[in-house]
Amino acid sequence: VGRPNVGKSSLFNRIVGSRKAIVEATSGTTRDRLHADIKWKGKTFTIVDTGGFQAARKDDIARRVLSQLDTAIKEADIIFFVTDVSAGVVHQDIELSERLRKTSKRIYLVVNKADDRSSISKGLEFFELGLGDPYLISANNGTGIERLLDDAARPMEKAETIDEIAAV
């Protein structure tokens, strides 16, 4: 989950290993949930791509996207909250982090677009969201994604099956 254009669909595609989700520079391309089964560390689970969080907008499409996002959050066991290091923390990130902290879900704060060393210092800003250590990743080149998936799968190692483990 995350606001529009932070790279949720790019991350989804990187994890799935194919271009299943449409990735466009235009905001609001993803509007519905998109599911894919993946295998990681011997476990199969479902990952979900969602539309972007835009609570302030009240038009019909924004309400429907928010409804799909809420459904994904309710159904997920683990949430990947995706943000954008180049934009820094914005109001929508704060709003969504407050919403996510009200759930009992395990939340992984994913700071995407960390494509170079300067991103490390910029990534420290995301601690203010109160969701723990941020995972600096690059959905474009794959940096940091293996560690994110390893950490997310670790508590599930003893489980026989995993249902919906993450919504991105």
Side-chain angles (χ1 to χ4, degrees), residues 148-168:
L148 171 66
L149 292 174
D150 284 350
D151 287 356
R154 190 166 289 117
M156 303 295 182
E157 287 175 352
K158 294 180 183 174
E160 287 296 315
T161 61
I162 301 170
D163 294 323
E164 260 174 50
I165 193 171
V168 297

Side-chain angles (χ1 to χ4, degrees), residues 10-16 40 80 110 112 135-152:
S10 294
L11 177 58
F12 178 89
N13 286 341
R14 174 65 69 169
I15 292 171
V16 170
W40 190 261
F80 291 166
V110 179
N112 191 26
Y135 286 79
L136 271 68
I137 66 129
S138 172
N140 282 339
N141 66 34
T143 303
I145 295 173
E146 185 172 327
R147 181 177 151 251
L148 171 66
L149 292 174
D150 284 350
D151 287 356

Side-chain angles (χ1 to χ4, degrees), residues 82-110:
V82 185
T83 60
D84 177 352
V85 75
S86 60
V89 175
V90 299
H91 182 71
Q92 287 172 304
D93 295 332
I94 295 167
E95 224 179 313
L96 184 53
S97 69
E98 290 169 356
R99 194 178 187 121
L100 292 174
R101 280 196 305 272
K102 293 176 184 174
T103 73
S104 59
K105 312 292 179 159
R106 275 190 302 127
I107 300 163
Y108 291 82
L109 176 58
V110 179

Side-chain angles (χ1 to χ4, degrees), residues 3 18 25 29 38 41 48 58 60 67-68 72 78-79 81 85 87 99 113 135 139 145 157:
R3 60 187 172 79
S18 69
T29 301
I38 67 165
K41 302 291 180 180
V48 182
K58 300 297 181 194
D60 193 43
S67 174
Q68 289 292 320
I78 293 172
I79 297 170
F81 174 26
V85 75
R99 194 178 187 121
K113 303 182 185 180
Y135 286 79
I145 295 173
E157 287 175 352

